[in-house]
């Protein structure tokens, strides 16, 4: 059975029909073409699929699209202001917080959400906040440095 | 990887959730979905219908009620961890909830879902047992209250009837003199508890007036170490008394074991984490 849902994605209202079993990540990628959100493990462990629902990071491989009806979803595509990168994106760029880039959208959304609630996190708090995001390339050091840099620059959600 | 097809219903109120369940007896409630959806994706669960209770306002929130703290069933782990009321008056629940999974998981998973799922490696069951919490359950025949110690009856099974819903959990409101601690040896891959120790200590004039200790992860259901607690009441609860009580009185019938941690190893973890949790709770009392 199809369900009509209405979701505000990156500031734009989207009204679509979805099957109940459609996962939010597939709604974003396949129906809306927002392929910045990656699918890694599909088992709620890697965090590559992290998006914000009403400003809070969640793993979109473990959410139904119907559950997002009536919410505000933000994906990595929604972070930059036109061609101007978000300060967290800028910091990842400058500190080499990525190599292959697969984990990066999820990392950036998880990290930015941290600074919203804790603008001056310690290194330990940064690592703790990124516990649900796995990176197979960087060894995490530069990711932590990037978040520290963004924190110094006052980066947060808005 | 996605679930088999199912019907989706969203309940606007607790009563509507129960009505939907009466009409679809095979349906499963969906709260945070962080235990149910992974099982549905792996096709370990294939309910024909799902009743979404995640939006029912009356099922969520933390409030003082008649000397206890009432926590709605769909209150999320992240809200428990951040709650000022809990941090001041029942800190062990906030502490344990803060150790669940990762921030994304805590933004979705709920207290009611955690205890209804009753995974032996979950963090909240033993905490509720150590707190002597009660679970409010509502069904077609009205409401009943179940003590946490009676709620968990076996591996992934609880005292909840098939036609019932968990509406809330009541935990004590502690004033001064009570210390609590939750310590967890976590599985390095999944983050779940290999062993979790929950300790509650009441000190009065330098003497232990009351205490309780319970464990996650070491058996099918939370293990309450009541003999350890009984041996400690009336002592000064110094390190030697705690170590002695643990070594002579902690017994774990049928410890869980798997490729990662044998039963024997889990019992050893329980001894070490149990003693540490009691000492930490004493120091905070
Ligand atoms: C990657 C990952 C890591 C995790 N790590 C941990 C961890 O370290 N420690 C830990 O404790 N947990 C952990 N969890 C589990 C997490 O806490 C779950 O959220 C929780 O176990 C289930 O809560 P939920 O709200 O998501 O329930 P759901 O998945 O929505 O439901 C689970 C079950 O409970 C039933 N149910 C839900 N609410 C009610 C209700 N009010 N009344 C009656 N039945 C109900 C459902 O029908 C279903 O059968 C982890 C989960 C994931 C995905
Ligand atoms: S794809 Fe969702 S957590 Fe890995
Ligand atoms: S940059 Fe490759 S997984 Fe993180």
């Amino acid at each position: 059975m199809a369900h009509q849902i209405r979701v505000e994605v990156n500031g734009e209202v989207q009204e679509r029909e979805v099957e109940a079993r459609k996962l939010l990540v597939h709604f974003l990628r396949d129906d809306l073409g927002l392929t910045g959100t990656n699918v890694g493990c599909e088992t709620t462990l890697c965090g590559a699929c992290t998006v914000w629902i009403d400003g809070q990071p969640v793993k979109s491989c473990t959410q139904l699209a119907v559950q997002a009806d009536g919410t505000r979803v933000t994906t990595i595509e929604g972070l930059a202001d036109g061609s101007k990168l978000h300060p967290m994106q800028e910091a990842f760029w400058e500190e080499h917080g990525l190599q292959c880039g697969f984990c990066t959208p999820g990392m950036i959304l998880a990290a930015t959400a941290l600074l919203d609630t804790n603008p001056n996190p310690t290194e330990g708090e940064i690592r703790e906040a990124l516990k649900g995001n796995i990176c197979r390339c960087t060894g995490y050091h530069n990711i932590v440095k990037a978040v520290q840099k963004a924190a110094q620059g006052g980066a947060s959600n808005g | 990887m996605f679930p088999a097809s199912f019907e989706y219903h969203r309940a606007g109120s607790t009563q509507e959730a129960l009505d939907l369940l009466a009409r679809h007896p095979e349906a499963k409630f969906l709260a945070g979905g962080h235990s149910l959806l992974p099982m549905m994706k792996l096709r370990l669960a294939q309910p024909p219908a799902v009743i979404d209770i995640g939006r029912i306002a009356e099922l969520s929130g933390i409030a003082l009620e008649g000397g206890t703290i009432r926590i709605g069933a769909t209150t999320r782990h992240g809200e428990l961890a951040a709650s000022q009321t809990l941090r001041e008056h029942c800190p062990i629940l906030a502490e344990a909830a803060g150790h669940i999974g990762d921030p994304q998981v805590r933004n979705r998973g709920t207290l009611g879902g955690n205890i209804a799922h009753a995974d032996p490696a979950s963090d909240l069951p033993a905490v509720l047992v150590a707190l002597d919490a009660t679970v409010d359950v509502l069904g077609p025949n009205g409401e009943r209250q179940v003590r946490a110690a009676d709620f968990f009856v076996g591996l992934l099974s609880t005292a909840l009837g098939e036609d019932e819903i968990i509406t809330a959990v009541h935990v004590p409101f502690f004033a001064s003199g009570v210390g609590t601690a939750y310590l967890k040896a976590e599985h390095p891959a999944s983050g779940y508890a290999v062993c979790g120790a929950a300790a509650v200590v009441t000190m009065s004039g330098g003497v232990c007036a009351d205490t309780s200790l319970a464990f996650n992860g070491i058996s099918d259901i939370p293990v309450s170490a009541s003999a350890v607690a009984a041996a400690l009441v009336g002592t000064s609860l110094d390190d030697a008394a705690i170590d002695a009580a643990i070594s002579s009185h902690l017994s774990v019938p049928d410890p869980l074991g798997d490729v990662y941690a044998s039963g024997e190893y889990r019992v050893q973890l329980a001894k070490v984490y149990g003693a540490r949790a009691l000492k930490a709770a004493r120091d905070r009392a």
Side-chain angles (χ1 to χ4, degrees), chain B residues 132-137 144-153 158-160 164 168-170:
Chain B
D132 196 14
T134 53
V135 182
D136 288 357
V137 165
R144 61 192 183 101
Q145 293 207 312
V146 186
R147 286 181 65 188
D150 302 326
F151 185 78
F152 302 99
V153 298
T158 69
L160 190 68
E164 291 179 317
V169 170
H170 293 264

Side-chain angles (χ1 to χ4, degrees), chain A residues 72-115:
Chain A
R72 215 163 22 90
V73 173
T74 308
T75 70
I76 190 70
E77 288 91 343
L79 222 51
D81 180 8
S83 61
K84 191 174 174 300
L85 291 182
H86 184 280
M88 185 65 77
Q89 292 173 307
E90 201 69 62
F92 267 68
W93 171 293
E94 282 173 24
E95 294 295 328
H96 302 287
L98 64 147
Q99 287 176 26
C100 79
F102 193 82
C103 69
T104 314
M107 282 288 177
I108 287 183
L109 287 167
T112 311
L114 166 69
L115 296 194

Side-chain angles (χ1 to χ4, degrees), chain A residues 43-45, chain B residues 28-38 53 73 77 99-101 105 108-110 112-114 116-117 121-124 160 164-166 184 190-192:
Chain A
T43 53
T44 338
L45 290 169
Chain B
K28 280 281 186 190
F29 289 129
L30 176 74
H34 269 46
S35 291
L36 184 58
L37 291 177
I53 58 170
H77 305 323
H99 282 296
I100 291 177
V105 170
R108 291 286 106 179
T110 68
N114 191 282
H117 188 59
S122 277
D123 287 301
L124 303 182
L160 190 68
E164 291 179 317
I165 188 169
I166 301 166
K184 169 184 186 182
S190 76
Y192 276 92

Side-chain angles (χ1 to χ4, degrees), chain B residues 175-283:
Chain B
S176 59
V178 180
T180 64
Y182 182 71
L183 295 180
K184 169 184 186 182
E186 70 175 54
H187 190 285
S190 76
Y192 276 92
V194 179
C195 170
V200 180
V201 165
T202 308
M203 295 297 283
S204 169
V207 170
C208 172
D210 193 13
T211 183
S212 59
L213 176 67
F215 297 96
N216 289 311
I218 60 171
S219 184
D220 284 353
I221 57 172
V223 173
S224 178
S226 37
V228 175
L232 286 170
V233 172
T235 71
S236 66
L237 218 62
D238 57 16
D239 287 3
I242 291 173
D243 293 340
I246 293 266
S247 74
S248 0
H249 297 288
L250 182 61
S251 73
V252 183
D254 302 321
L256 279 178
D258 60 18
V259 284
Y260 176 71
S262 65
E264 199 184 355
Y265 178 64
R266 283 175 204 255
V267 171
Q268 180 58 26
L269 282 176
K271 289 183 177 164
V272 174
Y273 278 76
R276 286 186 194 162
L278 284 167
K279 291 170 192 173
R282 171 203 63 202
D283 292 345

